[in-house]
Amino acid sequence: MEAISERFNLAAYCIGRAAARAPDKTALLVFDNADASAAAERWTFRELDVAVRRVAAGLLAEGIRPGDRLMLRLPNTGDTPVVFFGAISAGIVPIPISSQLTDTEVSLLLADSRASGIVQVGAADGLPLPGDCRLLDGAAIVRLKASSPAPMHADTIAEAAAYMIYTSGTGARPKGVLHAHRVALGRAPMRREWEAIGADDVMLHAGAFNWSYTLGVGLLDPWSVGATAVLFNGERDIEAWPRLIRNCGATVFAAVPSLYRQMLKYCALAPSDFARVRHCLAAGEALSPAILSQWREATGTALYEALGMSECSTFISSGPGVPVKPGSPGKPQAGRRIAVLPAESGTEPVPSGTTGALAIHRSEPGLMLGYWMRPDEDAATTRGDWFVGGDLASIDADGYVWFHGRADDTMNAGGYRVSPAEVEAALADCPGIADVAVAEVSVRPGVTIVAAFVVRKEGSGIIEADVLHCAEHRLAAYKRPKKVVFLEVLPRSPNGKLLRRQLAATGG
């Protein structure tokens, strides 16, 4: 790994270096039409660097101070990374969130993060802002980009907070994962071994910018090596992806396994669409051997899997130098200190082939600074010198890691981590519901959905459509149950603990 100097700014590392080395190189392409022969937006590294420093100066002029949190509720356009890195350049801590979130969800995040402001294109309307939180709307974005650029990126230290991502955990409230400026150096092993990218590559990521997978693999990593990043802001039609891959000239494509499955099912895939693609990347959920085999056969391209988490991105993977073993995400990347510890407690690694808690050493430079205002969560993930994130795994005699699920009840909805407690809290007071539980259930091999198990109030005639309608107004689309099952009573242990896994085992 690269040596970490005390003075380090993530925006300077990802954008400033490339702007100095190859100012006229294309840094970012944004497509809003998969069939277009040219991008709707094209940014060179020089243009990107100047825009980022303009926004940095503008945010400071607006009264946002270094160290303040700034929430970003923006679409997949060029403005989003410009504002994101502009904040980082100034020493401000951006918090990108999904544009799918409801005003209620955003309001809770604003209160939890104690953000000094929120940047979104539209007016606040139904979004209540805390008294000390200001709105920067579309007009403000234009104003920020017209500022005189800061002469240089802020002289931050490597351990300073750079950005924060909210992720669902086991509680009803999402938790903020706070990353340091040094995170880019911690990502070097995955750039080399999993992504295997260089300055000549064109990286297309299928996700939204606010997601840590897209943010890292889609922007931080390609820009760290001077490569071109591609974002898509058009209609999310599954059949658009092969056309976009061909038209944008992607050499590396990244997505969640469920998207690969959908492409195999609904798209007429042809190797010619992937003529320039060297390989594809999968993360966010387990990649089934069937999808792996079918993808190779249909497209003629390799598909490399990785295992990681929002707290440390990926640290286990296959790749051009690590042969794929179907069913396993691969081996620990070079330089990573990984162990499988006893599931419940202890700091001594278990024997090869034994299932336990997957852990990464706390000296890892890509590891988060900690959870925002959650000392209890930090303590729960600390075992001596190890960070234990809740994944269960084993390591075989060849050094390959095998994933055995989560130790907690966190669900995986299309690659997004979703807390069942958060969904249950949103549905608990819906009219007609006496009790509710949520679980991830399998509908067919390799495919799971979020299901709600509901006990009706006495005399209630509530039906599935009523529950889904309630969820629509309270939860982002990816968090909403796709199925509702009505029960007389929820299964609980003698001490009253919900037996969520028993629900999941029923398959709904």
Side-chain angles (χ1 to χ4, degrees), residues 262-335:
Q262 292 168 12
M263 289 174 68
L264 286 165
K265 182 175 182 179
Y266 298 109
C267 302
L269 300 177
S272 59
D273 291 328
F274 299 84
R276 293 194 58 190
V277 177
R278 291 189 293 107
H279 53 257
C280 298
L281 307 172
E285 57 190 15
L287 175 66
S288 75
I291 293 175
L292 173 65
S293 175
Q294 293 167 22
W295 184 261
R296 287 168 166 172
E297 183 178 352
T299 67
T301 60
L303 180 54
Y304 299 126
E305 185 181 4
L307 176 64
M309 53 185 139
S310 299
E311 294 86 345
C312 194
S313 195
T314 72
F315 49 94
I316 294 162
S317 61
S318 55
V322 179
V324 174
K325 184 180 281 192
S328 165
K331 295 182 177 182
Q333 295 156 0

Side-chain angles (χ1 to χ4, degrees), residues 28-32 39-43 76-78 230-233:
L28 176 66
L29 297 171
V30 181
F31 283 79
D32 54 19
E41 295 182 56
R42 178 184 180 275
W43 295 73
N76 260 27
T77 68
V230 181
L231 292 178
F232 182 51
N233 196 37

Side-chain angles (χ1 to χ4, degrees), residues 6-89:
E6 184 180 354
R7 317 307 301 185
F8 190 90
N9 184 282
L10 181 60
Y13 183 85
C14 290
I15 300 171
R17 291 186 314 146
R21 294 172 181 173
D24 297 322
K25 173 106 186 304
T26 299
L28 176 66
L29 297 171
V30 181
F31 283 79
D32 54 19
N33 184 342
D35 294 314
S37 58
E41 295 182 56
R42 178 184 180 275
W43 295 73
T44 66
F45 277 108
R46 178 194 285 114
E47 292 167 337
L48 190 63
D49 185 60
V50 171
V52 163
R53 288 186 288 113
R54 287 184 187 277
V55 169
L59 288 172
L60 294 173
E62 291 280 346
I64 310 295
R65 302 179 302 275
D68 284 358
R69 274 79 53 211
L70 179 67
M71 194 158 288
L72 311 184
R73 190 188 193 186
L74 297 169
N76 260 27
T77 68
D79 283 347
T80 306
V82 166
V83 176
F84 176 81
F85 281 101
I88 291 173
S89 173

